[in-house]
Structure formats: C-alpha cells, structure tokens
Amino acid sequence: KLQEFDFELPEELIAQSPASTRDHSKLLIESEVAENSPIVDFYNIINFIKNDDLIIFNNIINTNLV
C-alpha cells in the first residue's frame, strides 16, 4: 500500500540549494545496509553498492535559467 511509504520529514532537513561540491551532498542509506549513521556524503556511495545492484542514472535538466 502507498501509505507504507509515508514518513515525517522535518522542513529543516529539506535542502534549499545544492551542496557547493555536489559529491558532498547527503545520501540517506537504508538502515540495514548502513552500520552506524544512515546519512553519508554522496561520494561514499561506492561503499554501499554490491556487484548485483542495478544503478539507474537520470539526466536532469537545470530549470534555473534565470
């Protein structure tokens, strides 16, 4: 059910702008995979990828053309 994916997200935890160094943005790791903190810097993602994982990349167009 869709309700199973509902969760509280405090407003102060929502990024208002991108990290100055993109690979230093925060990444939430599923708690069974992350031993200590489930929040890591994105550049550490390689530590959580297994050989049989599927990675899907998205091309995102910057809409801030002001």
Side-chain angles (χ1 to χ4, degrees), residues 2-22:
L2 188 58
Q3 292 98 346
E4 294 177 19
F5 296 97
D6 288 345
F7 60 93
E8 292 292 322
L9 182 59
E11 188 75 25
E12 64 270 11
L13 296 180
I14 300 173
Q16 301 301 309
S17 59
S20 58
T21 307
R22 290 297 180 111

Side-chain angles (χ1 to χ4, degrees), residues 38-54:
I39 300 175
V40 299
D41 289 324
F42 188 82
Y43 62 82
N44 286 316
I45 192 172
I46 194 70
N47 298 323
F48 301 97
I49 298 173
K50 295 180 252 163
N51 286 338
D52 59 346
D53 285 346
L54 173 66

